[in-house]
Amino acid sequence: MELRITTKMEPGTLPEIQWNSSELKEEIQKKAQEYASIAYTDSQTAEMRKDRATLNRLVKAFEEERKQVKKFYAAPYEKFEAQVKEVLEPVRSAVKVIDDGLYEIEQKYRSEKTEKMREYYDLYVGDLRSVIPFEKTVKESMYKKSIKDKHLETAYHSLFNRMSEEMEALEELPERFRDKAILKYMESYSLSEALREGKRLEEMEKALEERKRKAAEEKAKKEEASRKAVQQEETSATAENKEDSKAEVPETTAETQEAENTTEVQEEIWTLDFRVRGTKKQIMDLREYLIRNNIQFGKVE
């Protein structure tokens, strides 16, 4: 397998490159298919590396020939290219001089235009200077040759009139939203965006208030349920005390009556009405204490 160049490569001629492309294309395609169809196994790594090296040598040989042909054909062009650059050098130098002159004229024009814009800015900005700096008012379209000074003055006058009206509209917003809405306005100088920001903040506040209201209602419901549960427990305890008092008051014997009569003679009997609140165990302990000390008790009507 050999690459044969049949075209004579001599100085002064630049014919089409003739070579055995059809022959090699068919032969290489067939050989490549043979290699691609080989089912290598894990034990054939040596053969795989050998076949790969063979194919790489073929590619390298073709590439070397291609580079030689390219170098041969490129040589006259590279010489021609250098000659053209040499011929055009004076022209390119002249163009650069003109470009530098145009750039200088353009910069002078833009500087004068910028100063005129600043003049109109200072004339009409009023108390909006802190809201919009001069640089934010400059647009590239203002440098067009068709934009005359009177157009610039009209543009600045209209701009600050509009902004004054929009700032007045923003001042009507609730104070708690106003500052943030104005900050939003200063980002894009769009009244609609600023008002949307104010609306968004207002809706957010309403949502928070609604959330607080629902939380307060839920807390009140829980407290009311707890209060009713305590009240129910107290009512149940009172009813149990009443039943227990009826069932467990000891019978009055002659001795007990005599002791009581003796006590009545010795000590004055006092009556005290009061309400007791405690756990069920505490209520029962109190009841036991009253019984144990022969203190009469009962429900207060």
Side-chain angles (χ1 to χ4, degrees), residues 54-71:
T54 299
L55 294 175
N56 283 336
R57 282 195 298 272
L58 175 63
V59 172
K60 183 178 180 181
F62 273 59
E63 285 296 317
E64 289 296 329
E65 283 295 332
R66 179 188 63 78
K67 292 176 182 178
Q68 290 298 322
V69 173
K70 180 180 179 181
K71 183 177 180 180

Side-chain angles (χ1 to χ4, degrees), residues 56-107:
N56 283 336
R57 282 195 298 272
L58 175 63
V59 172
K60 183 178 180 181
F62 273 59
E63 285 296 317
E64 289 296 329
E65 283 295 332
R66 179 188 63 78
K67 292 176 182 178
Q68 290 298 322
V69 173
K70 180 180 179 181
K71 183 177 180 180
F72 175 79
Y73 273 83
Y77 169 76
E78 291 173 354
K79 180 179 179 180
F80 168 73
E81 183 181 37
Q83 290 172 340
V84 171
K85 289 182 178 179
E86 182 181 359
V87 170
L88 293 178
E89 179 59 30
V91 178
R92 297 187 187 280
S93 298
V95 170
K96 185 177 185 306
V97 171
I98 296 173
D99 283 344
D100 292 343
L102 287 173
Y103 178 78
E104 184 178 349
I105 293 172
E106 179 66 18
Q107 289 303 109

Side-chain angles (χ1 to χ4, degrees), residues 205-222:
E205 183 184 70
K206 288 181 179 179
L208 291 174
E209 291 296 329
E210 179 65 14
R211 183 176 179 180
K212 290 180 181 179
R213 184 187 65 78
K214 289 182 178 180
E217 288 181 354
E218 186 66 22
K219 181 180 178 181
K221 289 180 180 179
K222 290 181 179 180

Side-chain angles (χ1 to χ4, degrees), residues 139-180:
K139 298 180 181 179
E140 188 60 31
S141 60
M142 292 178 171
Y143 290 102
K144 291 181 179 180
K145 302 293 184 182
S146 58
I147 304 299
K148 306 301 180 182
D149 290 351
K150 63 178 182 179
H151 297 144
L152 288 177
E153 182 175 8
T154 300
Y156 273 94
H157 184 262
S158 299
L159 170 66
F160 291 121
N161 275 345
R162 175 179 63 81
M163 291 186 65
S164 295
E165 294 175 356
E166 291 175 348
M167 288 296 293
E168 289 178 2
L170 293 175
E171 290 293 336
E172 297 298 322
L173 291 174
E175 185 176 355
R176 57 188 183 279
F177 308 135
R178 186 185 308 148
D179 290 344
K180 291 184 178 180

Side-chain angles (χ1 to χ4, degrees), residues 174 176-177 197-207:
R176 57 188 183 279
F177 308 135
E197 177 68 7
K199 184 66 175 177
R200 184 186 70 82
L201 295 172
E202 183 178 4
E203 291 175 352
M204 183 182 296
E205 183 184 70
K206 288 181 179 179

Side-chain angles (χ1 to χ4, degrees), residues 174-190:
E175 185 176 355
R176 57 188 183 279
F177 308 135
R178 186 185 308 148
D179 290 344
K180 291 184 178 180
I182 291 176
L183 287 176
K184 185 67 176 180
Y185 178 77
M186 292 172 65
E187 291 178 4
S188 60
Y189 302 105
S190 170

Side-chain angles (χ1 to χ4, degrees), residues 42-56:
D42 294 346
S43 61
Q44 292 179 301
T45 55
E47 288 82 351
M48 294 169 68
R49 292 192 178 94
K50 182 179 178 182
D51 292 344
R52 183 181 63 183
T54 299
L55 294 175
N56 283 336

